[in-house]
């Protein structure tokens, strides 16, 4: 008899293994004598390291430590110096590159200190140097340097308040980073500007739906196509113009009016010697998950790598597919596995604890509570690839009718927990949180629906 919960976890972990940064760096980077080659499915570049006086390494994000470990194994003592900012606990043992821990998703003083270290090392690079920048999801919060402008006193506290407001209002990561780029000394291509005139190679692990380079960690090494007016429009769209930090709003207003400099745009000289390469994506993880599901005997389909929207609304999509599989054999006959990737959002309405994946799993349970017909055997898993779903120690959660029944036996009302955004405590009580610990990677989320 199938253990669908165990199968769902195995399928998720197969996807996770595919985007392990250490293995990924070994696939993408090869060193033949002095020639460093960067090869992906879509591009290939060669760097003659003999032409560079020094090689520096900078990094930011949840996967930066493991990416740095992979780079050290390839370049060794060719690396003159390096520093990378990582989420607290996302560490590796390195010999050439210093790691600095910081908070996520709201920046803290350690992130500010790390950003200053990164900018200081970037400033040492000259025209005969190569700076390799390792960028992954989480870098926006982990690398936090307020933009210094004459007439403004933008502080870390201003950025913290603004970040909290944006995270709570339901804005997408594209919208959040549009605002954050305008307030930062490193985001929106400003790190590339600090590195110039040195040569810069950015290696990006994408945690963004659609893999937009300027959105991943707020695009520190790529041009920023957004404007100050775009950032103000985000605040207006979600009705938070008056709740972000006043000094942050003042900076955005001056940028929009042309009274303060905007981020560097396409064609800016800062990018003359800069190249940015995408080395890992959510879709690659989904392919590996699909292969594992097939090996376990499931008819399998990837429905999308672009799943967005409110987490609790998207839960209805998966519940509907579970019913269609059971009743009609579409989109697949049983035993069936439906896989999706992307990153949803949560609009905070209550005061509980959780993350977007736990919220989606709880919304799935709440739907079962209203009507479980034709979904009695299905198991749903929603999990993040970075190992931390929201500000919790859980990766995600499982949902099924037996899990709902267990909650009911404990006197737990899934709908009430959902209304309070308190998925963590619900799944903690029923014992169906998935916890992997820090994965040192980050390529959005993976959803697995099994109908045995």
């Amino acid at each position: 008899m199938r253990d669908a919960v165990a199968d769902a976890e195995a399928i998720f972990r197969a996807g996770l293994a595919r985007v392990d940064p250490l293995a990924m760096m070994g696939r993408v980077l090869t060193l033949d004598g002095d020639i460093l080659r960067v090869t992906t499915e879509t591009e290939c570049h060669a760097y003659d390291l003999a032409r560079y006086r020094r090689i520096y390494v900078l990094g930011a994000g949840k996967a930066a430590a493991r990416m740095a470990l992979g780079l050290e194994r390839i370049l060794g003592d060719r690396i003159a110096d390096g520093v990378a900012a990582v989420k607290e606990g996302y560490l590796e043992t390195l010999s050439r590159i210093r790691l600095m821990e910081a908070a996520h998703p709201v920046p803290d003083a350690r992130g500010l200190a790390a950003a200053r270290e990164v900018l200081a090392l970037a400033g040492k690079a000259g025209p005969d140097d190569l700076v390799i920048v390792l960028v992954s999801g989480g870098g926006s919060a982990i690398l936090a340097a307020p933009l210094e402008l004459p007439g403004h006193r933008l502080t870390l506290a201003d950025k913290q308040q603004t970040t909290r407001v944006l995270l709570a209002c339901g804005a997408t990561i594209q919208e959040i980073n549009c605002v954050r780029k305008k307030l930062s000394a490193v985001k929106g291509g400003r790190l590339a500007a600090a590195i110039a005139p040195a040569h810069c190679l950015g290696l990006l692990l994408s945690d963004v739906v659609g893999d937009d380079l300027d959105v991943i960690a707020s695009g520190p090494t790529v041009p920023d196509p957004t404007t100050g007016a775009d950032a103000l429009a985000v605040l207006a769209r979600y009705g938070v113009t008056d709740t972000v930090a006043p000094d942050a709003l003042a900076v955005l207003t001056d940028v929009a009016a042309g009274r303060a400099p905007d981020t560097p745009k396409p064609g800016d000289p800062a990018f003359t010697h800069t190249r940015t390469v995408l080395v890992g994506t959510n879709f690659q993880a989904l392919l590996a998950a699909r292969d594992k599901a097939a090996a376990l005997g499931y008819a399998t389909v990837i429905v999308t790598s672009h799943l967005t929207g409110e987490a609790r609304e998207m839960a209805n999509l998966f519940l509907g597919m579970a019913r269609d599989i059971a009743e009609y054999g579409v989109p697949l006959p049983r035993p069936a596995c439906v896989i999706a990737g992307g990153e949803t959002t949560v609009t905070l309405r209550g005061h509980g604890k959780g993350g977007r994946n736990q919220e989606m799993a709880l919304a799935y349970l709440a739907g079962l509570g209203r009507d479980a017909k034709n979904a009695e055997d299905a198991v749903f898993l929603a999990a993040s690839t970075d190992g931390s779903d929201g500000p919790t120690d859980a990766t995600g959660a499982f949902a099924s009718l037996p899990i709902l029944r267990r909650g009911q036996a404990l006197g737990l009302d899934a709908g009430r927990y959902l209304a309070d955004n308190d998925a963590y405590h619900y799944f903690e009580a029923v014992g169906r949180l998935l916890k992997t610990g820090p994965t040192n990677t980050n390529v959005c989320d993976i959803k697995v629906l099994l109908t045995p």
Side-chain angles (χ1 to χ4, degrees):
M1 184 175 179
R2 292 181 185 274
D3 183 343
V5 170
D7 285 352
E9 181 173 347
I11 291 165
F12 167 75
R13 288 184 179 274
L16 199 60
R18 173 62 181 81
V19 290
D20 174 69
L22 183 60
M24 186 176 302
M25 294 294 279
R27 285 193 301 269
V28 171
L29 302 179
T30 56
L31 184 63
D32 183 9
D34 289 327
I35 306 301
L36 176 68
R37 288 188 172 82
V38 185
T39 307
T40 71
E41 292 85 349
T42 59
E43 53 189 308
C44 181
H45 308 284
Y47 287 80
D48 183 356
L49 301 185
R51 65 170 293 192
Y52 300 108
R53 186 165 56 106
R54 296 170 300 189
I55 299 174
Y56 292 127
V57 179
L58 305 176
K62 297 175 185 177
R66 201 149 175 84
M67 293 175 77
L69 177 60
L71 188 62
E72 281 195 351
R73 290 186 178 181
I74 295 166
L75 296 184
D77 59 10
R78 290 177 184 263
I79 299 172
D81 197 0
V83 60
V86 301
K87 182 176 178 178
E88 184 175 16
Y90 286 53
L91 299 171
E92 298 287 349
T93 301
L94 305 177
S95 59
R96 310 291 295 184
I97 302 167
R98 292 168 287 134
L99 297 179
M100 300 183 69
E101 296 176 88
H104 180 277
V106 177
D108 66 357
R110 295 173 298 171
L112 174 57
R116 287 173 173 166
E117 287 287 312
V118 166
L119 286 170
L121 187 53
K124 291 182 179 180
D128 297 325
D129 297 328
L130 173 65
V131 181
I132 301 176
V133 184
L134 309 175
V135 179
S136 60
S140 293
I142 295 165
L143 205 62
L147 182 63
E148 296 182 3
L149 288 174
H152 293 279
R153 296 186 61 184
L154 190 65
T155 66
L156 175 63
D158 294 328
K159 296 195 69 173
Q160 289 172 325
Q161 180 183 338
T162 301
T163 299
R164 290 189 183 100
V165 168
L166 291 169
L167 290 173
C169 74
T172 67
I173 190 62
Q174 288 83 356
E175 293 168 327
I176 292 171
N177 287 357
C178 172
V179 175
R180 292 199 284 199
K181 283 187 280 191
K182 308 304 175 186
L183 306 175
S184 173
V186 292
K187 301 175 179 63
R190 287 189 167 123
L191 180 57
I195 291 169
H199 291 246
C200 174
L201 170 61
L203 302 176
L204 273 62
L205 184 65
S206 175
D207 71 327
V208 172
V209 176
D211 303 325
D212 296 324
L213 300 185
D214 69 288
V215 181
I216 303 166
S218 295
T221 63
V222 297
D224 176 24
T226 69
T227 66
D230 293 330
L232 289 176
V234 170
L235 303 184
R237 188 174 304 127
Y238 291 94
V240 297
T241 302
D242 296 331
T243 54
V244 298
D247 286 334
L249 180 61
V251 170
L252 296 175
T253 301
D254 279 1
V255 171
R259 295 188 295 267
D262 204 341
T263 45
K265 306 303 178 190
D268 191 290
F271 305 107
T272 301
H273 300 296
T274 298
R275 173 181 287 125
T276 301
V277 180
L278 188 63
V279 298
T281 68
N282 178 257
F283 188 66
Q284 292 172 339
L286 300 186
L287 290 175
R290 180 193 64 183
D291 291 345
K292 179 64 175 179
L296 290 172
Y298 290 91
T300 307
V301 65
I302 298 172
V303 293
T304 185
S305 64
H306 290 73
L307 188 70
T308 58
E310 279 285 329
R312 61 178 65 186
E313 296 300 328
M314 292 302 102
N316 294 326
L317 172 66
F318 289 94
L319 185 55
M321 284 191 288
R323 290 174 172 144
D324 282 341
I325 291 168
E327 189 170 357
Y328 305 116
V330 296
L332 296 168
R334 300 172 68 166
C337 174
V338 176
I339 298 171
E343 188 168 295
T344 58
T345 54
V346 173
T347 300
L348 293 179
R349 301 170 175 87
H351 304 283
K353 179 179 179 180
R356 59 184 178 265
N357 289 289
Q358 295 162 66
E359 173 123 341
M360 186 181 292
L362 186 57
Y364 183 99
L365 285 185
L368 279 179
R370 292 187 297 270
D371 180 9
K373 182 181 178 182
N374 294 321
E376 296 90 344
D377 299 329
V379 169
F380 178 58
L381 169 63
S384 59
T385 57
D386 63 4
S388 59
D389 182 36
T392 76
D393 61 351
T395 307
F398 298 91
S400 67
L401 187 59
I403 294 170
L404 177 67
R405 297 289 185 246
R406 187 180 308 173
Q408 291 170 337
L410 293 171
L412 306 179
D413 185 325
R416 289 185 179 179
Y417 276 80
L418 182 63
D420 198 31
N421 298 115
D422 200 18
Y424 183 90
H425 290 118
Y426 180 94
F427 286 110
E428 183 179 47
V430 299
R432 279 309 183 188
L433 288 169
L434 174 63
K435 296 184 180 182
T436 63
T439 62
N440 288 12
T441 192
N442 187 20
V443 293
C444 298
D445 304 329
I446 299 175
K447 324 293 182 186
V448 180
L449 173 68
L450 298 182
T451 302

